Structure formats: C-alpha cells, structure tokens
Amino acid sequence: QKEFRFEINIITSLHIEQTSSKTTSHKTQATRHKTQARSMIFTKTAIKAFTFLALVGSAHSAKQNGRNRTQTLKYLLSFYHANATSSDVNKVVLSQSNSVSRIREVNENITSVVVSKRADLEELLDGLPNGTRAEVNYDVSVFGWKVKDQDSGSFRGRKLAEETPYGLTMVEVTPDSFDATLPLPTGNIKVCVVDTGYTPNHEDLPDTGDMPDLNGFDQYGDKWDKDGHGHGSHCAGTIGAMGKNNLGVTSCNPDPKKFSFYIGKGLSDQGSGSNAGVLAAVEKCVEAGAKVVSMSLGGGAYTSTAFDLFKSLYNKDTLLIAAAGNGASSQYSYPASYPHVMSVAAVNNQGDRASFSQYNDQVEIAAPGVDVMSTLPNNKNPADKYEEWSGTSMACPHVAGVAALVWSYFPACENNQIRNVLLRSADGSVTEANSVCDNKYGYGIVKARAAYDLLLAEGCEAGGPAYNGSQGDASLGGCNQFLPGNSWPPTASPTPCSGLPLTLHLETDQWGGETSWEVKHVGGMKQFQNNGYDGDQVYTEEHCLQPSSSGECEFTIFDEYSDGICCSWGSGSYKVEFNNEIVKEGAQFGASETTRFACDVTNTEAPVASPIESPISSPTESPVASPIE
C-alpha cells in the first residue's frame, strides 16, 4: 500500500447560500443545463474519485499512463445541506484517532486534520454527513516585497518628517483633493485587512487609544496585533497611517476617528497560509462589521466553496478587494478573479502598468504598486519603521482606502454602487460603458475626488440601482462588471439573444477540475469562459455569442496536466455547436486545443472550423508558499 499524506480543512459553512450553478465571466446571458445530476452527496466510490480533484501548486508529479500520483494535498470539505457542527465533525475525526496524526480547529467552521494514507482519508470522509463537497485547499501567500531586497540604494529608512507617498496624490486623497471645505463624513467605515497582522505600537499606526474599537482575529498560533512579517502593517499603513503628526507617512484615511480597522490574521508571520485560513479571516471580518475587506494575497485556483462564500458576503453589503497578482501573465489569480471581488492591478509613479502586474479580463481597476512607502513593524531594526515595497499587494490597499473614504461620505449607498462609482470615475473621467476597460488597467486608476464628485452630483444611483441583498447577481467583475448603460443584470425572463447561440457539450474525465475553456473574438476580447468542473460528469452550456468585428472567433479547451480529457483517466469528450452547426468535436489533446470559426451574424452559411495546432507543454506553476503547520 503506497502511503499518502493529506491535510483536510473541514468547513461547516451552513450560513452560506447555495447557488444552483457556477457563474461565468461574461456579460451575455448564459444557462447551464446538467444532463446528468451532479449530487453533492458523495458515495464512498464518488469520494474516492474526487479525493484527488486537483493538485496543490507545490505538487511535483503529473498524471501519466500507468502511474499513480504521489503528492501532499489539502482539502476544503464544506457542508451546505448537512446537519453538522464542528463538534459533530470533530467526533468523526477523533473516531479515526489511529489514522489522524493532527487535528486543529481553526475556528467554529473550520477543522484541519492530517491523515497518513489514502485509505484512512476515504474512511474519514465516509463518516462525515451527507451533503459534503470536497475541494482543494490551496496555499496562498503575500503579493508584495521590500524594494531594498532588490535595490538597497532605494531604501530610505525612518522618515524624520511626515511624507505624502506619491500614490496618495495619484489617487486623490491628499489635502489638496479632500480639503477642509468638504463637510465631515457622516459614516464611519470599518476596513478589514486580511494579511500577516498589524503593529499597533507603531508610532504612525492607530492603537486602541486612537481607535477604541480596534480589534482582530488570531490564527496560525499568532496574534492579530503581532506582525512578524511586515506585509500586513505595510498595507494597513497605506489605508490608515495617521496624518498631521509630523511622523512617517500619511494615508488614504489619516484621521483614526473617521474610520476603524479590523485585522484578520489570514496569513502567518512567514507570509503564507491556506485558502481556508483566508476564508476564515474574511468571515470574521464581516461578522465584526467590516464594510471593506482588503486582501493583498493569492494563490491556487477557483473553488466553488470560495465563490459561494464571497457571493454570500457580497450580498451582505461587503466590498471585497484583492491584489491581481505578480505573475506578469494573463493567468487568473484568486481570490482576485472571483466576480464578487475587485481585482486590482499595479501601476508605477508615471501611471504605467507595473511589469509584474497580471493582466486578464477580471482586472477591474488599478492603483500605485511600485516603490510604495508605508509603515513596517520595527521587529529587528528600530530604524526600519518605513520602507518602500512593490507588488499588486501595495496597489490593493490604495483602492480599499479610497473605497472606505468615499463610502464614509455616502454611507447609504450599497457596496455595488460604491464599486461601480469607483469604476466610472477611474482616471478622473465619467464613463458609461465597458469599452474603456482593458485587461491591464481595468477601468483605470482609482480617483477618490472624482468618485466623490460623481456621487455628490448623481447620488448612489450613479453606481446603479440598489439590490437590497442580491448584489451578487449584478456582479460579474473585471471588464464585465455592471455599469449604468450595460445590459446586466438579467431579468427573470431570458433576454433574447442578439447574436447567435453557441452550445458546449462537455463530458469530463476523472479530473474535471483540470479542465477549462474560453471563447474569444479573434483580435479582440474574451467573451466567456468556465472551469471548476467535477470529475466524470456531463454538462451542456448555452451561450449567446456576439459577432466579432474580425468575423472570426476562437474556442480553446485546456487541460492543466497536458493530457486532454481522454483516455487515460476516463472517456471525456467535448462538442461545440455554433448557430446549430457542429464547429468541433474532440477528446484527445495535450495542454490545449484551439478551433477558429466564423462568427459574423450576417453570415448565414454554416460556420467552418479550422483547427489551430497548440504546442503541448507543461503548465507553469505559480509560486506556492510552504504549508503552515
């Protein structure tokens, strides 16, 4: 018996509302029909097939014919319909004491265990309540670094007088933009920083004397008010370092009496953690009343558990903001690429995209993220209280800080309205349609005063209607995020397709989580995409494809491990139909397979497919931090 080692995070998230299907990132109407029921109540056989749904990024073996995978995996087990509590789960875990080598309750909804081999894992899962859904618990890490680590000459150390970092001027939060002539804000917005912790004894960061309700959530055996890494304190400083004290730096919210902090210890003092740890911290933030959540972190891939949680919290009027990632690629980074999270790209002091900033159609807005000066804990060198850091991590708190500042003047607005106003006013110009959005900058650089002026002139409706608890239905994220004048959100009755129908018939192999696909206009933007499939299932998806100006579109299907969807691990296949004609059928391919077809709605002839060969290559893995014990 080959031995395996697993870490499982069990989330009893009973309060999360269920969604009947995954949301796809496009603004046209789409419906998914399941031609085979996909029950979340797994039998033992189903659990066996699902156990290895996907690899953690640190796994080093790929699936090959005749070979077993050997890797360390962590999982999220969520109970959407199970009558279960953490106590119930722990009883099952403890009953497996001979095989469970570690158990750790992260919070009331999450328990982490380690088992020694696959058979023990299967036995453990069999004892858990019906309604269980299992997904990979990916590693996550910070998205920022010290500039002095790359160039010691740029490090300037402790400031002798208060400095206004260039980013604050760029996003319009300096006294010249928000001056004494403005009325005092009527709301006090709580901002949660989910990161490595906080330094309340820093001379320039609020403590409980400055901010009486300052509090946080402990995790990983560390305290929220201890930041052994520095990343969390740096991000917090951009949001709320104290101003007008002749010390260090100022911030987006320099007066600690006009906003408040809550700190979620989502990452350890090593700057890394797990998806489960981040979700636990975000939940605690919202429970504590946070309206804005800033997440300068990421790692791993899409999970339905995180999607459902973020949608649920978004419907509770919480604005979720995350760093787009530092991979200098078009790869999606999570949590930023969930539609209910604002994905923030980084720019330099000239307003140009940072070379490291990831670019894709979920990037929604941009902010300064190169050589950003902010606060650091003086854990080692008392002089190192301020440093320049770079990364999309540094861009994210600029947007979170601006959102909190603007929202404090218009507290009656909903999160989706504030979000859309920030997009409409980005780069200082009011826009009505997403034609001004691109994959590198989103709608542009966030501008606080322009957003304030827009709300003052048009009220909360400048960001669209209020949804009163159903904001998630109006959120597609990125360049497809709803703005006034766009066709989203859909009404209860289907909107007639103004283009032509495209239908995908997909049967996955055992490793459905490795399959994804996209459709884009040749020479233009991506129209829609999907991923996050279960293994050994059959799906039918219907979409309305708009005409391409080039007259051609491309369908591409991907397999994360470069072996297609047939025939080593099941008999998967796919068929694409456009305008009721078959464009492509396939099953065996490598890393991807692309088919180009005519998609001009004025062309009434059957579309002609022309396959495009794609090189077969191993997927590029994102850096993954070491698992936290």
Side-chain angles (χ1 to χ4, degrees):
Q1 172 70 52
K2 186 184 294 292
E3 290 198 349
F4 300 85
R5 183 175 175 86
F6 303 89
E7 181 175 341
I8 309 161
N9 288 272
I10 301 169
I11 299 185
T12 55
S13 43
L14 297 171
H15 62 286
I16 302 174
E17 61 185 21
Q18 182 194 14
T19 55
S20 59
S21 62
K22 297 195 189 336
T23 295
T24 53
S25 298
H26 56 88
K27 73 174 186 177
T28 55
Q29 286 277 111
T31 57
R32 168 182 287 184
H33 305 288
K34 300 175 185 176
T35 56
Q36 177 176 327
R38 182 169 57 136
S39 174
M40 296 281 73
I41 304 176
F42 298 123
T43 63
K44 184 169 183 177
T45 301
I47 287 292
K48 288 180 180 179
F50 199 73
T51 297
F52 292 96
L53 174 62
L55 286 172
V56 174
S58 58
H60 298 294
S61 60
K63 65 179 186 181
Q64 298 179 9
N65 290 342
R67 294 183 59 186
N68 290 327
R69 299 184 184 188
T70 303
Q71 61 257 333
T72 300
L73 296 179
K74 301 181 296 181
Y75 279 85
L76 295 170
L77 302 185
S78 53
F79 299 83
Y80 287 83
H81 301 286
N83 184 18
T85 66
S86 291
S87 176
D88 298 329
V89 173
N90 288 340
K91 288 177 183 178
V92 175
V93 172
L94 292 174
S95 70
Q96 307 294 327
S97 57
N98 292 332
S99 57
V100 176
S101 59
R102 189 175 80 222
I103 176 172
R104 178 175 65 91
E105 185 171 323
V106 178
N107 64 18
E108 64 180 2
N109 294 319
I110 303 174
T111 300
S112 173
V113 299
V114 173
V115 297
S116 56
K117 55 183 180 290
R118 180 175 179 176
D120 295 331
L121 178 62
E122 294 167 0
E123 184 178 358
L124 173 63
L125 294 177
D126 273 346
L128 295 178
N130 286 341
T132 300
R133 179 166 63 190
E135 294 182 288
V136 174
N137 177 29
Y138 293 99
D139 291 333
V140 295
S141 59
V142 299
F143 275 161
W145 65 90
K146 299 179 184 180
V147 173
K148 72 171 185 177
D149 288 344
Q150 296 185 336
D151 179 7
S152 59
S154 64
F155 170 57
R156 293 181 285 167
R158 184 182 187 279
K159 306 306 297 174
L160 299 178
E162 187 170 84
E163 174 182 321
T164 299
Y166 79 88
L168 303 186
T169 303
M170 185 177 290
V171 303
E172 300 181 342
V173 293
T174 62
D176 291 337
S177 299
F178 274 80
D179 55 30
T181 62
L182 293 179
L184 293 175
T186 57
N188 188 298
I189 302 298
K190 181 170 290 187
V191 182
C192 180
V193 183
V194 176
D195 214 292
T196 59
Y198 183 75
T199 310
N201 61 352
H202 192 286
E203 64 184 10
D204 215 11
L205 289 174
D207 58 18
T208 53
D210 307 302
M211 187 179 286
D213 62 345
L214 174 66
N215 208 339
F217 168 62
D218 302 332
Q219 204 172 191
Y220 303 109
D222 297 324
K223 297 293 186 180
W224 66 266
D225 55 358
K226 172 182 173 293
D227 184 3
H229 186 278
H231 188 271
S233 297
H234 195 281
C235 293
T238 296
I239 295 171
M242 293 185 291
K244 298 182 180 179
N245 58 0
N246 203 35
L247 293 171
V249 294
T250 185
S251 68
C252 296
N253 297 272
D255 188 344
K257 294 181 175 59
K258 296 180 180 178
F259 84 106
S260 60
F261 269 136
Y262 186 87
I263 308 300
K265 187 84 172 184
L267 300 175
S268 73
D269 285 343
Q270 287 70 49
S272 56
S274 69
N275 191 22
V278 170
L279 296 183
V282 173
E283 284 186 278
K284 289 295 183 181
C285 294
V286 178
E287 288 177 8
K291 300 288 285 184
V292 176
V293 177
S294 180
M295 298 175 283
S296 293
L297 47 82
Y302 173 98
T303 68
S304 297
T305 299
F307 173 90
D308 290 334
L309 173 61
F310 288 135
K311 181 176 182 180
S312 173
L313 299 181
Y314 196 79
N315 282 337
K316 293 180 180 179
D317 206 26
T318 307
L319 187 56
L320 306 162
I321 303 168
N326 301 334
S329 71
S330 60
Q331 180 180 359
Y332 291 114
S333 175
Y334 295 92
S337 293
Y338 290 110
H340 307 102
V341 180
M342 294 186 75
S343 178
V344 184
V347 298
N348 62 20
N349 61 2
Q350 300 300 310
D352 298 324
R353 184 185 72 89
S355 60
F356 53 80
S357 187
Q358 280 172 230
Y359 49 91
N360 52 60
D361 59 6
Q362 280 298 308
V363 168
E364 193 162 310
I365 202 163
V370 179
D371 298 350
V372 174
M373 180 69 76
S374 189
T375 51
L376 279 181
N378 53 322
N379 296 328
K380 297 179 181 179
N381 185 351
D384 294 352
K385 293 182 179 180
Y386 306 90
E387 286 184 349
E388 291 177 348
W389 283 39
S390 291
T392 51
S393 276
M394 286 56 255
C396 177
H398 280 92
V399 176
V402 167
L405 176 64
V406 172
W407 207 348
S408 70
Y409 284 90
F410 304 92
C413 297
E414 290 186 348
N415 57 344
N416 204 57
Q417 294 173 318
I418 295 297
R419 177 181 183 177
N420 289 335
V421 164
L422 295 182
L423 304 185
R424 287 189 64 197
S425 59
D427 282 335
S429 60
V430 177
T431 58
E432 294 292 346
N434 67 358
S435 59
V436 297
C437 183
D438 66 42
N439 292 358
K440 295 180 178 180
Y441 299 90
Y443 290 88
I445 299 170
V446 66
K447 300 290 183 180
R449 184 55 190 260
Y452 173 89
D453 290 341
L454 179 57
L455 283 165
L456 188 65
E458 299 183 20
C460 295
E461 290 72 19
Y467 288 94
N468 302 311
S470 61
Q471 292 95 310
D473 294 332
S475 175
L476 288 176
C479 286
N480 294 317
Q481 171 63 17
F482 167 69
L483 288 176
N486 286 0
S487 60
W488 190 263
T491 59
S493 300
T495 302
C497 177
S498 59
L500 287 175
L502 182 141
T503 303
L504 171 66
H505 304 277
L506 174 66
E507 181 175 0
T508 59
D509 64 4
Q510 294 179 24
W511 307 92
E514 298 169 1
T515 302
S516 61
W517 62 271
E518 67 180 30
V519 173
K520 67 177 184 180
H521 288 164
V522 173
M525 291 182 60
K526 189 181 301 180
Q527 297 302 295
F528 24 79
Q529 64 189 36
N530 214 344
N531 59 15
Y533 296 100
D534 289 343
D536 293 324
Q537 298 294 321
V538 178
Y539 301 88
T540 297
E541 302 183 35
E542 297 177 355
H543 304 276
C544 181
L545 182 59
Q546 300 301 315
S548 169
S549 59
S550 69
E552 291 187 301
C553 293
E554 285 182 350
F555 171 87
T556 303
I557 187 168
F558 303 94
D559 183 83
E560 182 181 357
Y561 278 87
S562 305
D563 63 355
I565 54 178
C566 185
C567 297
S568 301
W569 299 86
S571 300
S573 64
Y574 73 93
K575 179 170 67 175
V576 181
E577 298 175 355
F578 178 61
N579 197 21
N580 301 314
E581 297 288 342
I582 296 176
V583 167
K584 176 66 176 177
E585 294 181 275
Q588 293 179 303
F589 56 92
S592 65
E593 186 169 58
T594 298
T595 300
R596 183 172 293 185
F597 58 95
C599 59
D600 185 346
V601 295
T602 61
N603 181 7
T604 58
E605 297 180 1
V608 179
S610 55
I612 298 174
E613 296 296 328
S614 299
I616 299 176
S617 59
S618 299
T620 301
E621 295 183 350
S622 302
V624 178
S626 301
I628 305 303
E629 295 296 324

